[in-house]
Amino acid sequence: MYAYIIRRIVFMIPTLFGIMVVNFFIIQAAPGGPVHQLIAQLEGTAVDITSRFTGVDANEVAAPAGDAAGAAGNDIQSRYRGARGVPPALILTLAPPFGFAKPIYVRFFITMKDLVMFRLGDSYFRNGTVIELVIDKLPVSLSLGVWTTLIVYLISIPLGIAKAVRDGTRFDIVTSGIVLFGYAIPGYLFAILLIVMFAGGSYWSVFPLRGLVSTNFDELSWGMKIADYAWHMVLPVVSMVIGGFAGLTNLTKNLFLEEIHKQYVVTARAKGLTERGIMYGHVFRNAMLLVIAGFPAAFLGVFFTGVLMIEIIFSLDGLGRLGYEATLARDYPLIFGSLYVFMLIGLFMTLVRDLMYAWIDPRINFERIDV
């Protein structure tokens, strides 16, 4: 098993490199880059925004820079698609601080080298380094992802097993209605409903409307800190659980139904084994393989997609919201940094999935499998 783990970790390196290469060129080709974003802000109100990066007054930047400056600006413009339609003189002044005065292949090698060394650089539009921002926001997204996934599994697996054992009964029919409700309502819509009902919207003000902790969190005792954290997590987690448990419940039920009707179950009953012994000694191990294997995928689905809307609705400053705002602002270092962390977590979770396979079913031997 150790040899397999080492092979998988080594295999992650070219996988991660390929993902980052593809995303580098996609992001570079996207219209409206950081220079364009800065100019858009400059045209609104800010005079000192430009000086933050260049030390030059806005009126100075906007002034004509002559034929040489115009030619250089046009050259940068031709290599930087996000700068199309922007005055060449302004591009010439703004591009160097962002690194766009260099050819794209030079920027590519610099970016890849920095990623290998885990130097993620500084954010263009936020105060601080990318790694500091990611570390600061990561706990929020991890909290939502981990608690949502755990609660979904704790609800769905027992419920799916109970539905399989009582297939066709009144219990199965009633719970199917609840599962259908989970399928039908989007998590973000349910989050708004919870806010209206329980966060002071129109009825009761039981739970906080925003944030992960209270403003006086540092002054609380350890017990009160845990209670305060749990109190803030209730509505966001419930909003995400409602859309996640339905699919897993049906998957668990169908897998158990399929196993229950197999020949080895009939043989076990003929030998006099109890239903409980058959269910948890034989059926459970075989049926749970796909369910357990889907744990990393379920976590990643919550972590990558489900978290974003919930973070916005409940004003949670997490990694999903950070990456979304970085994409809107074309903050390239922050985009690459958050994407890099996402990919590392994703590759690690695929390894965890395989290890869980072997833990659930000892018959699986990855030492014989080439990566």
Side-chain angles (χ1 to χ4, degrees):
M1 180 60 72
Y2 292 108
Y4 173 77
I5 294 174
I6 293 172
R7 292 202 309 271
R8 282 296 303 270
I9 292 174
V10 172
F11 184 72
M12 288 178 185
I13 297 173
T15 304
L16 183 63
F17 176 75
I19 293 171
M20 298 310 297
V21 168
V22 171
N23 282 278
F24 175 85
F25 288 104
I26 290 175
I27 292 172
Q28 294 293 323
V35 174
H36 188 81
Q37 295 290 326
L38 191 61
I39 292 171
Q41 296 178 42
L42 185 64
E43 290 174 346
T45 55
V47 172
D48 59 336
I49 292 179
T50 308
S51 61
R52 174 182 172 185
F53 298 92
T54 64
V56 181
D57 185 81
N59 296 324
E60 222 179 287
V61 174
D67 294 338
N74 285 324
D75 180 60
I76 295 173
Q77 190 178 50
S78 66
R79 285 186 272 123
Y80 172 47
R81 293 188 61 184
R84 290 180 179 177
V86 178
L90 188 54
I91 298 171
L92 182 65
T93 307
L94 296 180
F98 292 108
F100 294 116
K102 300 174 183 177
I104 188 170
Y105 66 88
V106 175
R107 301 202 305 272
F108 169 75
F109 284 112
I110 291 174
T111 301
M112 293 301 114
K113 179 183 176 182
D114 288 342
L115 290 177
V116 170
M117 303 298 294
F118 217 80
R119 293 196 302 257
L120 305 183
D122 297 324
S123 171
Y124 287 158
F125 302 109
R126 288 174 177 255
N127 294 323
T129 64
V130 171
I131 190 66
E132 289 173 348
L133 291 169
V134 169
I135 291 174
D136 183 52
K137 312 301 182 187
L138 188 58
V140 176
S141 298
L142 282 178
S143 294
L144 289 172
V146 169
W147 288 117
T148 299
T149 308
L150 287 177
I151 293 174
V152 164
Y153 268 73
L154 289 174
I155 294 174
S156 300
I157 292 176
L159 182 59
I161 295 173
K163 285 174 65 63
V165 173
R166 299 173 176 83
D167 184 41
T169 63
R170 178 174 295 181
F171 172 83
D172 183 40
I173 295 172
V174 172
T175 53
S176 293
I178 299 174
V179 171
L180 182 62
F181 175 79
Y183 267 125
I185 185 167
Y188 67 89
L189 187 60
F190 192 68
I192 296 173
L193 176 63
L194 290 178
I195 289 174
V196 172
M197 295 292 295
F198 301 108
S202 298
Y203 297 93
W204 302 282
S205 182
V206 180
F207 297 101
L209 179 61
R210 62 182 61 199
L212 194 62
V213 293
S214 300
T215 54
N216 63 336
F217 182 78
D218 294 333
E219 303 172 4
L220 301 176
S221 63
W222 280 105
M224 291 300 295
K225 284 183 178 180
I226 294 173
D228 182 73
Y229 167 78
W231 183 47
H232 282 76
M233 289 292 291
V234 170
L235 295 188
V237 170
V238 170
S239 303
M240 298 174 69
V241 166
I242 193 68
F245 88 99
L248 185 60
T249 299
N250 277 340
L251 175 64
T252 304
K253 176 189 175 182
N254 293 333
L255 289 173
F256 270 81
L257 280 176
E258 182 180 353
E259 293 295 324
I260 287 172
H261 292 95
K262 287 187 176 179
Q263 185 62 43
Y264 74 88
V265 175
V266 177
T267 304
R269 285 172 178 158
K271 289 182 178 181
L273 272 68
T274 63
E275 287 296 322
R276 184 178 182 85
I278 295 171
M279 181 62 64
Y280 293 101
H282 299 278
V283 174
F284 184 85
R285 185 177 65 180
N286 294 328
M288 286 301 293
L289 274 174
L290 288 177
V291 175
I292 296 298
F295 182 90
F299 172 77
L300 291 177
V302 171
F303 190 67
F304 281 122
T305 58
V307 166
L308 175 59
M309 290 298 297
I310 300 301
E311 285 181 356
I312 293 174
I313 291 172
F314 289 98
S315 299
L316 299 173
D317 203 6
L319 193 58
R321 184 177 174 184
L322 178 71
Y324 172 72
E325 292 177 351
T327 303
L328 292 181
R330 301 299 192 270
D331 194 337
Y332 289 169
L334 201 49
I335 293 173
F336 282 118
S338 57
L339 180 64
Y340 192 56
V341 172
F342 274 134
M343 291 302 104
L344 286 175
I345 294 174
L347 292 172
F348 173 75
M349 291 304 292
T350 58
L351 177 60
V352 172
R353 177 197 62 190
D354 292 345
L355 297 180
M356 293 181 74
Y357 258 132
W359 177 63
I360 292 294
D361 193 346
R363 295 173 298 176
I364 297 176
N365 185 2
F366 286 108
E367 294 293 342
R368 304 175 188 173
I369 301 175
D370 294 328
V371 179

